[in-house]
């Protein structure tokens, strides 16, 4: 079974884990636009490709799939997920499955305001969010929300250009210098990450791993500890069934005063996924099972609590 991983970047562990699961004769191929992406050199083979915004990009990826007889393709960065989903039929015609969710769901995950509106409409607890700063100011005056808040791009990822803001003057300054910003309530609680796999054949949630985040770095989990809560498992399963996500997703959640608030969804492997894998939640195997038409068995919480993940820097010398 041959797997293609796009925009591999620094996700060396993801490439390694796929290599451990593709089976005899299977290969893992990685791409990136830079020769200095270290995860490329963990793969059995790699390609340097154009930037994903280039007009010829998708044809280049389709050519690789055809040449390398790729069973499944996935991306490790948010903006590329919609592009893959939009072209899923072209990949399918080559016998390649896009490992991921629909175009509409990828777009909703990328657009934080769209996700907020969906969560509110469907009755989920979430951080109050605003694109209109005047509406935010009115809610501040009415004691519905208060500072501090986060100001961030409504369509963004990796915690880029996020500011924690404590006053109206700073909000005005940020909005005056950038378009497409949103204001989001600061949730003062425990941040939680959930690595979830939804079977691509049955559509059922088959694996959930949850961790309490201890330290974040560059928008990714740097240190965390595993835990379980049946109430949280039920919330995640119901949320995923209602949205319709497929394959691997990463959910950011906050626990505030005993209540769970859904924050964001990334329909891909999150930076903290190695924690789940090393605790026994092997989602690469689940993907490989699905790619040959097999349905995975539902297994929630089959891991130990209190297992810590601590990232540290390694080197790749070429």
């Amino acid at each position: 079974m041959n797997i293609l991983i796009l925009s591999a970047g620094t996700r060396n562990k993801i490439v390694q884990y796929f290599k451990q699961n593709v089976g005899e004769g299977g290969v893992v191929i990685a791409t990136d636009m830079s020769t200095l992406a270290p995860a490329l050199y963990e793969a059995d083979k790699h390609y340097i490709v154009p930037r994903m915004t280039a007009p010829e990009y998708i044809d280049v990826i389709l050519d690789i799939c055809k040449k390398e007889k790729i069973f499944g393709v996935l991306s490790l960065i948010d903006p590329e997920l919609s592009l893959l989903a939009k072209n899923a039929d072209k990949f399918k015609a080559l016998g390649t499955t896009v490992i991921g969710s629909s175009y509409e769901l990828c777009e909703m995950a990328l657009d934080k305001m769209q996700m907020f509106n969906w969560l509110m409409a469907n009755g989920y607890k979430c951080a109050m969010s605003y694109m209109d700063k005047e509406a935010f100011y009115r809610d501040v005056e009415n004691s519905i929300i208060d500072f501090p808040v986060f100001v961030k791009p409504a369509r963004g990822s990796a915690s880029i250009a996020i500011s924690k803001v404590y006053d109206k003057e700073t909000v005005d300054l940020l909005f005056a210098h950038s378009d497409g910003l949103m204001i989001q309530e600061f949730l003062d609680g425990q941040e939680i990450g959930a690595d979830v796999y939804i079977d691509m054949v049955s559509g059922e949630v088959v694996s959930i791993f949850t961790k309490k985040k201890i330290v974040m770095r560059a928008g990714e989990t740097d240190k965390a500890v595993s835990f379980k809560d049946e109430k949280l498992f039920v919330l995640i399963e119901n949320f995923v069934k209602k949205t319709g996500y497929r394959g691997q997703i990463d959910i950011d959640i906050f626990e505030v005063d005993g209540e769970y608030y859904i924050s964001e969804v990334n329909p891909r492997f999150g930076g903290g996924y190695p924690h789940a894998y090393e605790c026994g939640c092997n989602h690469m195997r689940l993907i490989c099972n699905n790619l040959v038409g097999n349905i995975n068995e539902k297994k929630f919480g089959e891991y130990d609590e209190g297992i810590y993940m601590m990232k540290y820097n390694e080197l790749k010398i070429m």
Side-chain angles (χ1 to χ4, degrees), residues 2-296:
N2 299 345
I3 300 290
L4 178 61
I5 302 174
L6 307 179
S7 302
T10 59
R11 299 290 180 85
N12 295 51
K13 287 295 184 184
I14 299 299
V15 178
Q16 292 170 13
Y17 296 155
F18 270 108
K19 286 181 66 175
Q20 293 168 15
N21 286 278
V22 291
E24 187 175 349
V27 297
V28 176
I29 300 167
T31 73
D32 203 276
M33 68 176 188
S34 171
T35 57
L36 299 180
L40 289 176
Y41 306 102
E42 302 286 351
D44 296 301
K45 188 174 183 179
H46 70 266
Y47 288 84
I48 304 302
V49 298
R51 185 179 295 273
M52 63 157 286
T53 53
E56 71 274 19
Y57 179 78
I58 200 68
D59 288 332
V60 171
I61 302 305
L62 288 166
D63 285 344
I64 294 172
C65 289
K66 184 177 181 179
K67 179 181 177 181
E68 301 292 349
K69 297 179 174 60
I70 299 297
F71 274 63
V73 59
L74 69 151
S75 175
L76 299 182
I77 61 170
D78 294 317
E80 197 166 23
L81 302 175
S82 296
L83 181 64
L84 284 180
K86 193 173 184 178
N87 290 278
D89 287 343
K90 293 180 181 179
F91 286 99
K92 186 178 180 180
L94 299 176
T96 302
T97 299
V98 172
I99 301 163
S101 298
S102 69
Y103 174 80
E104 291 75 18
L105 287 173
C106 290
E107 282 292 290
M108 185 170 78
L110 189 60
D111 189 322
K112 295 172 178 59
M113 199 66 198
Q114 188 179 343
M115 175 61 75
F116 165 73
N117 289 332
W118 188 95
L119 290 168
M120 288 291 289
N122 287 274
Y124 289 95
K125 294 183 183 300
C126 56
M128 291 295 297
S129 301
Y130 306 81
M131 291 293 290
D132 181 353
K133 62 186 177 72
E134 300 303 328
F136 165 67
Y137 295 151
R138 286 195 295 272
D139 279 359
V140 170
E141 290 176 5
N142 293 323
S143 300
I144 295 172
I145 191 171
D146 201 357
F147 290 99
V149 294
F150 287 115
V151 176
K152 60 174 75 173
R155 291 176 67 88
S157 62
S159 294
I160 295 171
I162 290 181
S163 301
K164 191 175 182 181
V165 176
Y166 293 84
D167 54 66
K168 179 178 181 291
E169 290 73 22
T170 307
V171 172
D172 286 337
L173 182 65
L174 290 169
F175 269 69
H177 286 83
S178 297
D179 295 324
L181 294 180
M182 66 180 289
I183 301 164
Q184 191 171 67
E185 179 184 8
F186 170 65
L187 295 175
D188 190 9
Q190 173 64 56
E191 189 171 359
I192 293 163
D195 298 290
V196 183
Y197 188 76
I198 306 98
D199 196 277
M200 293 190 295
V201 178
S202 70
E204 295 294 319
V205 182
V206 294
S207 178
I208 300 175
F209 175 85
T210 52
K211 56 187 176 284
K212 294 181 180 179
K213 300 181 182 184
I214 299 170
V215 175
M216 299 291 291
R217 178 172 56 172
E220 292 189 357
T221 307
D222 200 50
K223 295 177 175 62
V225 59
S226 61
F227 83 107
K228 305 177 192 179
D229 182 353
E230 184 62 30
K231 175 184 174 182
L232 181 55
F233 288 166
V234 170
L235 172 67
I236 290 170
E237 184 175 22
N238 289 340
F239 166 73
V240 172
K241 282 185 175 181
K242 187 169 284 192
T243 54
Y245 282 103
R246 292 289 188 275
Q248 177 69 29
I249 69 171
D250 167 77
I251 309 175
D252 292 333
I253 300 161
F254 283 85
E255 187 272 318
V256 181
D257 297 328
E259 296 292 337
Y260 290 116
Y261 291 69
I262 296 175
S263 176
E264 296 181 8
V265 176
N266 302 301
R268 56 169 171 76
F269 284 100
Y273 171 74
H275 194 179
Y277 186 92
E278 299 296 344
C279 286
C281 295
N282 185 344
H283 293 184
M284 282 68 183
R285 183 180 302 147
L286 302 181
I287 287 172
C288 291
N289 287 342
N290 278 169
L291 290 177
V292 294
N294 294 330
I295 295 175
N296 293 294

